[in-house]
Amino acid sequence: MGIGTRMGIMALAGAGGNGFADTTSWELDGTDDYLIGTSYNTFPAHDASSDDESWTINSWVKFDAISGNQYIWYISESGGTLVTYLFVNGDGRLQAFVTGNGSNWTRSGNSVIAADTWYMLTVKYDSTISSRYSRLRIRVNGATPTGHSSNFLAANSGASGNIHLGSNYAESNIMGGHINEPAIWMNYVASDSELLDLYNSGAATNLNSHSTVPTNWFRSENAVWDGTDYTMTDEMGTGLTVKTDNMSQASRTTDVPS
């Protein structure tokens, strides 16, 4: 499948209104490119004894190759202690984890992710679900991926301080490919039908027009180049920023989901 191809149901409609246009994404070289946000206080401290948290993280991603562990996002405390991550391994299997217990994981089966294909990837967490096998879930293009399994005992972390896109906190296991339209909803769990609607819109959509707007949403279209790095400012008005690192001006490309 060529550039811009999406797996699954084909487009039903164009991208969102209000002048929204999805025209650029970030291209990561798989060597030393990534994006980072600091003073990133979106995820509050979480105590396993009062498990009352929920969230959704969504982004569009395309990989150049499926090889090794490639991190899509890695959210950590200010000192680097993990809060949550999502990566794809060399078998094309997605895996997410939340700190607090070694059994706080969810994953797809193998060969769910292929190279040179755009996917809408979602991780959602709902502590109010009684079954520990359903609290943390991965969705691919709005649907449960083949071979999906999950287990979750208890989250326990300090407040988030950093977000890495395309790498882990050590800035290794770099992703090679494209990232587009990362968004986070705190205290909100997107339904499967809602995610499927987002995917079936045909491309990344205007989340300011969504029925529930994100807590944070970063768009490459509105990034500012300072001669060394790009800076994206949160579309939701929080003032939080995410900057490119080791990326050239040409790393913002016109390859987007379509």
Side-chain angles (χ1 to χ4, degrees):
M1 295 187 179
I3 291 175
T5 302
R6 300 188 310 139
M7 294 290 285
I9 301 172
M10 296 304 292
L12 299 181
N18 299 325
F20 177 88
D22 182 36
T23 58
T24 64
S25 69
W26 298 114
E27 183 176 19
L28 285 67
D29 66 4
T31 302
D32 62 0
D33 290 1
Y34 56 89
L35 298 101
I36 182 171
T38 56
S39 301
Y40 190 83
N41 56 349
T42 292
F43 284 70
H46 190 71
D47 185 347
S49 65
S50 57
D51 203 8
D52 57 357
E53 186 174 298
S54 60
W55 45 260
T56 304
I57 306 176
N58 191 73
S59 63
W60 292 81
V61 177
K62 185 176 79 167
F63 297 93
D64 292 337
I66 303 302
S67 177
N69 292 341
Q70 299 180 67
Y71 280 85
I72 301 156
W73 64 70
Y74 191 105
I75 297 171
S76 62
E77 299 176 29
S78 57
T81 301
L82 173 67
V83 175
T84 184
Y85 66 60
L86 174 68
F87 69 75
V88 65
N89 73 4
D91 293 320
R93 186 189 75 200
L94 292 163
Q95 178 156 320
F97 182 79
V98 175
T99 195
N101 189 285
S103 294
N104 292 347
W105 54 263
T106 183
R107 63 176 68 105
S108 71
N110 291 338
S111 304
V112 165
I113 302 299
D116 198 30
T117 301
W118 277 107
Y119 298 93
M120 192 183 84
L121 303 183
T122 311
V123 178
K124 53 183 181 174
Y125 169 60
D126 185 355
S127 67
T128 67
I129 295 176
S130 59
S131 172
R132 65 188 177 99
Y133 303 109
S134 300
R135 293 174 193 150
L136 185 67
R137 291 159 286 171
I138 288 174
R139 295 294 182 258
V140 179
N141 299 339
T144 303
T146 302
H148 184 273
S149 58
S150 184
N151 191 33
F152 198 95
L153 294 183
N156 196 343
S157 67
S160 64
N162 304 292
I163 180 171
H164 282 75
L165 300 172
S167 80
N168 58 18
Y169 179 78
E171 295 162 1
S172 60
N173 295 100
I174 303 292
M175 174 186 158
H178 290 75
I179 294 179
N180 196 41
E181 307 286 350
I184 297 173
W185 288 258
M186 285 303 300
N187 303 313
Y188 181 75
V189 184
S191 68
D192 287 352
S193 60
E194 178 182 6
L195 293 172
L196 192 59
D197 284 345
L198 283 175
Y199 175 70
N200 283 340
S201 65
T205 61
N206 187 353
L207 296 177
N208 277 309
S209 298
H210 191 56
S211 57
T212 301
V213 297
T215 310
N216 312 101
W217 178 34
F218 297 95
R219 304 201 66 223
S220 58
E221 283 82 355
N222 297 329
V224 176
W225 176 255
D226 66 5
T228 303
D229 300 299
Y230 282 106
T231 298
M232 292 185 291
T233 300
D234 187 359
E235 298 292 313
M236 307 315 299
T238 67
L240 295 176
T241 60
V242 172
K243 296 183 67 173
T244 60
D245 206 313
N246 302 316
M247 296 169 67
S248 69
Q249 191 169 10
S251 295
R252 185 169 65 175
T253 76
T254 57
D255 184 356
V256 297
S258 61

